[in-house]
Amino acid sequence: LCRLLWCHMAWKDIYEQVCETLVGFGDAAVEPLVGVLKARRFTWESDAIDLGWVGGGIFRVLGQIGDARAARPIEKLMGSSMIPAVAKDEGAQALGRLRRENRHGKKVESLLKKLSDERPIIRSIAIEALGKSGDPRATEALLEMLGSEDEAAVALGRLGGDQALRALVAHLKSSLDRQVHPRSAFAAIQGLGESTDRRVLPVLTTIAVGARSAVARRLAVEAIQNVEDRAPPDLPSAVQAGPATDD
């Protein structure tokens, strides 16, 4: 795939598909791509058009993958006067993204450590911040806290994604079926209300019209309004409806 990046602009569609595929490989693509950059670093001047196109693509892919290992090699090449302008533009954007990702990653790692803090207030603050982080690494940690920390349900709803939303629906169904821990069920309803995915609406509608608990019905109505206010239109409804009763 790295060799295919040497396609000329006449093969732009293939080139773009290769870039997308390499991004999909994630961290596994970083070392091969960095190796390509190092191998070609002294030949930019002799083939500026070709290498400007290829180098720019590699910079772009590395920036989108977001692995900090790529920052130093890109910085070294960006310091060369032989780098074509098209590659320098992509390199500058990649470095900006990598630096942001690095700062963000360190912050998320710090928050994840705080989830095991003995002080409830510290755990609560960390859970809320992780929910706002948009980082998928937080999902697994928050799933482990679902049921024991009410804030985890709300944070998972904000994070979104199929894994988090399906877990919230399953947790809500389990809580209502067992008729225990109503606060946990209420938190799951509020968590679904934090989602921007319209697929949760059938679940919330079932609760709003059929739950025995007045609190659950009210929370479901509020959650439906929240989702409708923020969610983009016309997403498929793939999440199965939840239970109709609640204590």
Side-chain angles (χ1 to χ4, degrees):
L1 284 172
C2 288
R3 291 178 181 175
L4 284 175
L5 285 173
W6 261 262
C7 294
H8 287 277
M9 291 180 70
W11 295 355
K12 185 175 180 181
D13 290 343
I14 296 176
Y15 173 85
E16 294 290 345
Q17 290 175 20
V18 171
C19 286
E20 291 179 10
T21 302
L22 286 168
V23 171
F25 279 122
D27 293 349
V30 174
E31 289 188 9
L33 288 172
V34 169
V36 171
L37 290 178
K38 289 180 177 178
R40 303 291 291 190
R41 64 180 301 180
F42 297 112
T43 63
W44 293 85
E45 191 172 25
S46 61
D47 202 359
I49 295 177
D50 187 24
L51 287 172
W53 181 247
V54 174
I58 295 175
F59 289 158
R60 185 202 317 172
V61 169
L62 289 171
Q64 290 178 355
I65 291 174
D67 192 306
R69 291 175 295 170
R72 187 59 180 160
I74 294 176
E75 287 175 348
K76 287 183 177 179
L77 284 169
M78 290 287 286
S80 171
S81 60
M82 295 187 294
I83 302 295
V86 63
K88 265 193 172 172
D89 289 344
E90 291 285 1
Q93 293 181 39
L95 282 174
R97 175 176 292 205
L98 287 168
R99 287 165 181 160
R100 289 193 299 273
E101 290 287 342
N102 187 44
R103 289 194 296 269
H104 175 76
K106 290 180 178 178
K107 180 180 179 181
V108 169
E109 289 173 5
S110 175
L111 289 170
L112 289 171
K113 291 178 181 177
K114 288 181 171 63
L115 293 180
S116 58
D117 196 288
E118 295 180 354
R119 294 164 292 181
I121 185 61
I122 298 298
R123 295 197 304 272
S124 179
I125 292 171
I127 290 171
E128 182 178 2
L130 287 169
K132 296 177 180 178
S133 71
D135 195 309
R137 291 177 298 171
T139 300
E140 288 291 342
L142 292 172
L143 285 174
E144 293 179 3
M145 307 185 79
L146 192 60
S148 61
E149 301 276 357
D150 292 343
E151 295 94 338
V154 176
L156 283 167
R158 287 175 179 163
L159 279 174
D162 286 348
Q163 183 183 17
L165 295 182
R166 291 186 185 280
L168 282 174
V169 171
H171 178 68
L172 174 59
K173 177 177 171 56
S174 175
S175 297
L176 297 181
D177 284 350
R178 289 183 289 113
Q179 300 182 4
V180 295
H181 305 305
R183 281 186 54 188
S184 186
F186 299 158
I189 294 171
Q190 291 176 307
L192 291 173
E194 291 295 324
S195 171
T196 58
D197 191 328
R198 289 184 177 272
R199 293 178 299 172
V200 305
L201 290 176
V203 179
L204 293 171
T205 300
T206 300
I207 301 298
V209 300
R212 290 198 297 265
S213 166
V215 175
R217 293 196 301 271
R218 176 178 58 80
L219 290 174
V221 170
E222 293 173 356
I224 290 169
Q225 188 61 55
N226 287 340
V227 175
E228 288 181 337
D229 286 346
R230 296 180 303 185
D234 301 325
L235 290 179
S237 296
V239 178
Q240 295 182 355
T245 60
D246 166 25
D247 275 350

